[in-house]
């Protein structure tokens, strides 16, 4: 059992509860301690002044995204959910005009996409990540070839190890992507395009698969899509997301990034640069790289927070 599953207080605030029709829907299916979940429920009822709806199906917050654009309110929802609730019931619960089903590229929508206030959907494209790693390898090789005779033996060893790590990652991730039991990014993008969203493909996640709660789920080394998106005081979009365990483990610091023009963070920032200012993208590590513990437990900064709108 993972640390996240064993915790008496669910660490995923995003998934713990939702509010709709002036009712509080509380997650209790995967919590091993009913007494603790009841304590949380009592605190939430007191805070919001709402009663818990004990019988209706709770939709975990990570698997829906509410949007409003030009007066039209809708909810994007992972296509697993309508198996349990009709679209009419979902629309009524979230007080929206429209319900858009999105093929599950991961267990939850917030593990592979985010949406801004201009009806733009940023969607993880694993093929883009693979091509980005390949370009990074090429850039590294060009740098070493150009500077080889001016490099110290320590620097040569460092770049040689990084090259081997990236090469291993490239072929390992290629195999993982090919064997994924989830929908492809193209399927999600097709559904979003049809619903009128502008879709932007982003290289934003690296993962392996593990078994959890009877399901095959992603365990992340990098996931920039699991992000919090808000406006700052000047009206600019600000994105807060997880740092990359892969950058840290591979030793890709700012010095290396500047020399070879590659890091996983840089690749992501470049992909969203036309839409979100570089200075407004913030990566969270936490004390003792705590964010990496969240990633290895199937989630990230968005899962661990909850926005009330």
């Amino acid at each position: 059992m993972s640390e996240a599953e064993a915790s008496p207080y669910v660490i995923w605030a995003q998934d713990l509860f939702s509010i709709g029709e002036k009712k509080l829907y509380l997650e209790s299916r995967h919590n091993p301690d009913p007494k603790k979940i009841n304590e949380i429920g009592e605190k939430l009822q007191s805070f919001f002044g709402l009663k818990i709806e004990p019988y209706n199906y709770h939709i975990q917050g990570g698997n829906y995204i509410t949007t409003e654009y030009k007066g039209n309110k809708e909810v994007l929802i992972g296509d697993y959910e309508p198996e349990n609730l009709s679209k009419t019931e979902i629309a009524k619960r979230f007080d929206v005009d429209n319900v858009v089903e999105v093929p599950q590229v991961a267990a939850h929508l917030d593990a592979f996409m985010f949406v801004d206030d201009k009806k733009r959907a940023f969607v993880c494209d694993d093929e883009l990540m693979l091509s980005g790693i390949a370009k990074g390898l090429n850039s590294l090789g060009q740098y070493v070839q150009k500077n080889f005779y001016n490099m110290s033996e320590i620097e040569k060893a460092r770049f040689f190890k990084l090259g081997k790590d990236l090469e291993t990652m490239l072929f390992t991730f290629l195999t993982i992507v090919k064997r994924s039991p989830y929908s492809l990014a193209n399927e999600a993008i097709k559904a979003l395009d049809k619903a009128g969203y502008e879709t932007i493909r982003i290289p934003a996640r690296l993962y392996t698969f593990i078994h959890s709660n009877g399901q095959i789920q992603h365990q992340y080394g990098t996931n920039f899509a699991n992000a919090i998106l808000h406006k700052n005081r000047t009206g600019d979009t600000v994105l807060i997301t997880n740092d990359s365990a892969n950058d840290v483990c591979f030793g890709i610091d700012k010095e290396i990034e500047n020399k070879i023009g590659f890091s996983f963070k840089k690749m992501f920032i470049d992909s969203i640069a036309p839409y979100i200012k570089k200075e407004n993208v913030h990566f969270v590590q936490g004390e003792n790289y705590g964010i990496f513990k969240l990633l290895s437990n199937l989630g990230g900064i968005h899962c661990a927070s909850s926005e009330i709108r």
Side-chain angles (χ1 to χ4, degrees):
M1 180 177 285
S2 74
E3 184 173 331
E5 293 169 317
S7 173
Y9 283 87
V10 178
I11 64 174
W12 306 133
Q14 188 67 224
D15 299 326
L16 178 61
F17 69 95
S18 60
I19 294 173
E21 301 177 83
K22 296 183 179 179
K23 298 174 184 176
L24 182 66
Y25 297 88
L26 187 65
E27 172 62 68
S28 59
R29 290 169 293 165
H30 302 312
N31 196 289
D33 192 334
K35 181 181 177 181
K36 293 297 184 184
I37 205 72
N38 287 336
E39 288 179 16
I40 295 171
E42 289 172 6
K43 292 180 184 296
L44 290 171
Q45 285 185 105
S46 175
F47 182 82
F48 291 110
L50 298 173
K51 290 291 185 182
I52 291 176
E53 174 57 54
Y55 303 113
N56 282 0
Y57 182 82
H58 167 72
I59 302 173
Q60 292 187 338
N63 212 27
Y64 71 85
I65 301 171
T66 54
T67 70
E68 184 171 357
Y69 184 68
K70 294 184 177 179
N72 183 59
K73 296 190 292 184
E74 61 188 13
V75 62
L76 307 179
I77 194 156
D79 63 1
Y80 292 174
E81 302 297 349
E83 296 176 6
N84 302 288
L85 291 172
S86 70
K87 282 190 174 183
T88 300
E89 289 174 308
I90 293 170
K92 183 181 178 183
R93 178 176 297 189
F94 294 110
D95 187 27
V96 295
D97 306 301
N98 192 32
V99 177
V100 179
E101 291 182 46
V102 181
Q104 306 263 180
V105 181
H108 280 172
L109 297 189
D110 70 351
F112 70 89
M113 65 175 290
F114 56 86
V115 179
D116 71 6
D117 62 346
K118 293 182 173 60
K119 205 169 181 178
R120 294 186 294 221
F122 299 77
V123 183
C124 287
D125 186 337
D126 296 335
E127 296 291 338
L128 201 58
M129 175 62 82
L130 287 165
S131 66
I133 297 172
K135 289 177 183 176
L137 264 170
N138 185 58
S139 295
L140 187 154
Q142 289 180 349
Y143 176 83
V144 171
Q145 185 177 27
K146 182 178 179 180
N147 297 279
F148 185 81
Y149 293 106
N150 297 319
M151 296 166 68
S152 68
E153 292 304 314
I154 292 175
E155 192 176 15
K156 289 175 184 176
R158 185 181 182 187
F159 278 100
F160 178 77
K161 182 179 184 305
L162 175 57
K164 293 297 292 182
D165 287 343
L166 286 175
E167 187 177 36
T168 299
M169 169 59 73
L170 178 62
F171 289 104
T172 300
F173 191 53
L174 176 62
T175 301
I176 291 169
V177 169
K178 285 183 175 181
R179 294 177 179 176
S180 173
Y182 289 90
S183 299
L184 298 174
N186 286 343
E187 297 173 41
I189 287 169
K190 183 178 180 181
L192 291 162
D193 285 341
K194 185 177 180 181
Y197 285 80
E198 178 186 354
T199 50
I200 297 97
R201 296 172 184 264
I202 54 174
R205 63 179 189 165
L206 287 163
Y207 56 84
T208 185
F209 286 114
I210 63 170
H211 288 270
S212 177
N213 292 323
Q215 296 179 316
I216 299 175
Q217 298 210 40
H218 297 84
Q219 185 176 51
Y220 297 99
T222 293
N223 192 332
F224 302 129
N226 191 257
I228 300 168
L229 211 65
H230 281 298
K231 294 287 187 180
N232 63 15
R233 292 176 181 176
T234 63
D236 288 337
T237 298
V238 174
L239 184 139
I240 303 168
T241 190
N242 312 287
D243 205 337
S244 168
N246 297 101
D247 275 334
V248 172
C249 292
F250 291 176
I252 308 177
D253 55 19
K254 201 65 182 176
E255 178 188 359
I256 294 292
E257 179 189 295
N258 289 337
K259 287 180 177 179
I260 67 174
F262 171 85
S263 73
F264 293 103
K265 289 197 290 285
K266 182 180 186 304
M267 184 164 42
F268 171 67
I269 289 172
D270 289 347
S271 73
I272 64 172
Y275 315 100
I276 303 173
K277 295 176 182 178
K278 180 180 179 180
E279 60 268 27
N280 288 339
V281 180
H282 304 280
F283 297 95
V284 176
Q285 282 188 352
E287 186 176 356
N288 298 320
Y289 296 108
I291 201 70
F292 301 156
K293 188 176 290 186
L294 295 187
L295 290 170
S296 67
N297 275 310
L298 318 179
I301 190 68
H302 186 263
C303 300
S305 62
S306 187
E307 309 103 288
I308 306 302
R309 303 184 181 186

